[in-house]
Every structure is written in C-alpha cells, then in structure tokens.
Amino acid sequence: QQPVQSPQAVILREGEDAVINCSSSKALYSVHWYRQKHGEAPVFLMILLKGGEQKGHEKISASFNEKKQQSSLYLTASQLSYSGTYFCGTEYGGTSYGKLTFGQGTILTVHP
Amino acid sequence: KAGVTQTPRYLIKTRGQQVTLSCSPISGHRSVSWYQQTPGQGLQFLFEYFSETQRNKGNFPGRFSGRQFSNSRSEMNVSTLELGDSALYLCASSWTGGYSTDTQYFGPGTRLTVL
C-alpha cells in the first residue's frame, strides 16, 4: 500500500523552513527520501531505519516515528536549489528485495 | 565513479510494437530495480534483479519483462505496447538490494511515448 505524503505542495521564500510528512498504514522497516527536479533522476537524500538510525547527506534532517509509522523531512533555511518534488520510498521488510513503495510526492517551490 | 546510465533517453513507438530499454548500474552494484513513473500513478516498482535472477516483481502484466546479464547490466522489455505504457522508465542500482542499509541510485530514465 502506498504511503501518504503531506502536504501535496509547498511554496516558500528563501530562508524559510518546511516539513514534509510520510505516513504508512503498514509497519515500516525503513524510509528513503529522494528529491527529483523536473526532467532529472531522483536524487537520494536520506535513509531512516527502524530503530532510529539515520544515513544521509546535505543539510537536511529527518525523523522516524515508529509508533505513528511516520517519517518527517525537515528542510531548514531553504535555498532555491531545494525546489523539486520530494518522494518518500518505504520498505516493509521481509523479502522486499529492491522494492521501494513511493508516496505520491510533495512539490516544493522556493522563491527568491 | 560513473553513475547509472540508461539508453536510449527518449523513444517513440506505436501501439502493438515492442521495446527494449537498457540500464548499466554503477560499477560494483549487483542489484538493479526498474520503476515506471507516470503523472497519475507516480513511481511504481516493476521488478528487481540480482546476480541475473529476478528476486522481486511488482503488479504489472506479463508484457513487462526483464533480464540481467553477468556484468549486472539489465534490460527491460515491453511487448505489445499500449498507450498507457507511455511513461518515464527509471532504473536504480545498489550493492545488494537490501535497502534498509543500502542506498538506491537512480539513472536519468528513458522517456517512452506510445502513439
């Protein structure tokens, strides 16, 4: 089942903050966040693992609430380069080799 | 290190034809996954290959098939094309396909248009 992302779209001015949520009705094993710019490949941002371990890069942080089966991506002091569509990809464990189930995406637009 | 490459980048076909798309993973990566991306359905998993074996498959009809070669390069084939197959086809590679600790890197995709 597809995770649900909210909000569907966000418009910011440079320097403002944003939070993107990813919720699942099934127990999550891990959550993977990606950003995709128009016409380009999705770019990996971060992995959050069950148990709280985080792996990522860039000045972006995230959290994983096991109780709520929800992950949140925090974008602080946004820059123009943060514009794009953000996807969460969820892994449900077991024999889910190579399979990520993606949310519908959140479109983030940062204006000068 | 070179990234994931996909060829061709753009393809136009007509209904009923078949098409083969190619994906070369990052050097050393043995897992290749394929996804279909459309505005209506988003990113949907097609299948995953590891060491020339399909380990996982999404909910797509049998017209969609794939294979992986000994050098980890992968191809996917769509037979009897339908208008609804128009999409961006993305492949992604990782070391092992165990994504809990394994980062998945995407290629630029092949844009398929079916007329």
Side-chain angles (χ1 to χ4, degrees), chain A residues 2 29-30 32 34 36 39-44 47 49 55 87 91 95-104, chain B residues 9 31 33 35 37 41 43 45 48 55-58 88 90 97-108:
Chain A
Q2 188 181 32
Y29 199 75
S30 66
H32 304 239
Y34 289 84
Q36 185 179 31
E40 298 180 10
V43 173
F44 167 76
I47 292 178
L49 309 177
K55 289 173 57 178
F87 293 96
E91 183 193 3
T95 54
S96 59
Y97 299 115
K99 178 180 180 179
L100 291 175
T101 304
F102 285 92
Q104 79 279 18
Chain B
R9 292 293 311 277
S31 169
S33 296
Y35 291 86
Q37 187 175 30
Q41 300 297 319
L43 273 160
F45 174 78
E48 187 258 6
R55 293 193 301 184
N56 207 346
K57 190 177 187 311
L88 181 66
L90 292 159
Y99 289 110
S100 295
T101 56
D102 204 1
T103 299
Q104 190 175 17
Y105 295 94
F106 282 86

Side-chain angles (χ1 to χ4, degrees), chain B residues 85-100:
Chain B
D85 296 334
S86 293
L88 181 66
Y89 290 89
L90 292 159
C91 81
S93 76
S94 70
W95 292 106
T96 65
Y99 289 110
S100 295

Side-chain angles (χ1 to χ4, degrees), chain A residues 9-78:
Chain A
V10 185
I11 298 175
L12 300 173
R13 293 250 178 235
E14 267 187 300
E16 291 182 337
D17 302 338
V19 179
I20 300 172
N21 298 308
C22 175
S23 298
S24 172
S25 58
K26 287 173 60 176
L28 293 170
Y29 199 75
S30 66
V31 179
H32 304 239
W33 286 96
Y34 289 84
R35 176 174 63 217
Q36 185 179 31
K37 294 182 182 283
H38 185 69
E40 298 180 10
V43 173
F44 167 76
L45 296 175
M46 180 164 294
I47 292 178
L48 293 106
L49 309 177
K50 185 178 176 181
E53 183 180 350
Q54 297 184 22
K55 289 173 57 178
H57 59 86
E58 296 190 25
K59 298 176 182 176
I60 294 173
S61 62
S63 64
F64 184 177
N65 187 322
E66 283 185 58
K67 226 175 178 181
K68 292 184 178 180
Q69 296 303 319
Q70 176 177 295
S71 176
S72 297
L73 188 71
Y74 304 96
L75 304 161
T76 56
S78 60

